[in-house]
Amino acid sequence: MNNKISSYEIWFITGSQTLYGDETLKKVAQNAAQIVGYLNEKVLPVQVILKPTAKSTEEIFGLCREANYDENCIGIITWMHTFSPAKMWISGLKNLQVSMLHLHTQFNQDIPFEKIDMDFMNLNQSAHGDREFAHILTRMKIHRKIVVGHYQSESVTSKIQDWMRLCVGKDAIQNLKVARFGDNMRYVSVTEGDKVAAEMQFGFSVNTYGVGDLVAYINSVSEQSTQDLVHLYEKSYSLAKDLQANGQKRNSLIEAARIEIGMRSFLNAYECNAYTNTFEDLHGLSQLPGIASQRLMADGYGFGAEGDWKTSALLYVMKKMAFGLSGGNSFMEDYTYHFEAGGEMVLGSHMLEICPSIANENIQCEVHPLGIGGKADPVRLVFNAKEGPAINVSLVDLGHRFRLIIHKVAGLKVEKQFPLLPTARALWKPLPNMEIGLEAWLLSGGAHHTVYSQNLSAEMMEGFGEMLGLETIVIDENTDIQSLKQTLKINEMYHR
Ligand code: MN
């Protein structure tokens, strides 16, 4: 897959004006360079590029236009070290298309009480310079992330990092192609949606490919590459007895490897980084892809079962945003509940396709019959998910708009045995508790399919929703049903 995270750039634009004279402007540029240097040392994963100080309407317009058209620039950080009269920003901002972080910082951390004089005041004006700038942003209704504090503080740098990941996500969602093998699962509502509206709002495209065309790729996979992948399976997972060499189901493993290779080459050929399939349309495929989808997800592909293109796109994007973080992101489905008083939890799983990036321990490779679909027994990876804080995220189409629903959960350690359950699984406790958390999800219209993330926070996903202009609902430790109902009503008006 094309992974261009290293070529991404965030531009740092310092606003000023010519009024101050060359001496002050030289200082402005030097101080900005020092801040950029610090951020590049501390802040990953995207490089910050210092741009010349913006001092006039024309310079600001030029910088904004360049930011739009530069292939690598995915966002700008703005800071008014001095006072930059904001009418100079109007034409640039009117045309700006990339996301903005307004860094309300100051070069010095402390007021130098003993030394402070009018020269110092002349240079260090962000306390009021940034207000002038923020006013025009508010008046022009320009979305931006505001980060307040000294640039060397941990809280500031970590907020900048999180925001950079959102910019990566926005770039990913704009450039994504989702392949659908087969249509939506018959009669299912929530996995449907307006693909044209999605492309207009998010940028990703969703198109259908014939299962038979995929099968042609699978059939042309060579014996050698199939054998090589089977060996990789043997090295990477503990294989069930019947899948080992001379085992009764060895052929299923060989067939699964062939499917995986064929799917990879098909997706590469059509430059699709996410896909859906459905057990109702597998014509010519011997088994529903299990291990193939699991391993493709682990490599960063988006996947949605039963034609769920929205979850597939979201999974790809969240995996891109989580680049380099420990923990994983997986397609997920709320499967069944444990209602024992005091020990309530949700068992999350799918019939096959859970991503091993969320796994806790050694991964078993097994083959079992699948009750639906009427195909041969599919090979799958079976494991328990890691414990720890997590979120479930769902993107739904409400008919006239999309809604992003984010639910904070506590991922639990899987201590029980599931001797008869042939799927990967996760256990979690919804916040604030089972009763309110689930009621809130149902009220919000969240899907049964989600992206389960161990490494992106609810705050980040809320920021991502805002960045995309999406209605965003967060269910967390503070959720109460009365105010959620109010929020949903007010949102109904706001998004009309
Ligand atoms: Mn499902």
Side-chain angles (χ1 to χ4, degrees), residues 305-306 331 333 335 350-351 448-449:
E306 292 104 43
F331 177 73
E333 182 165 299
Y335 240 72
H350 206 258
M351 48 196 188
H448 58 284
H449 285 168

Side-chain angles (χ1 to χ4, degrees), residues 119-131:
D119 282 347
F120 181 92
M121 297 284 265
N122 228 9
L123 178 66
N124 298 282
Q125 300 188 43
S126 43
H128 62 279
D130 273 334
R131 288 173 198 234

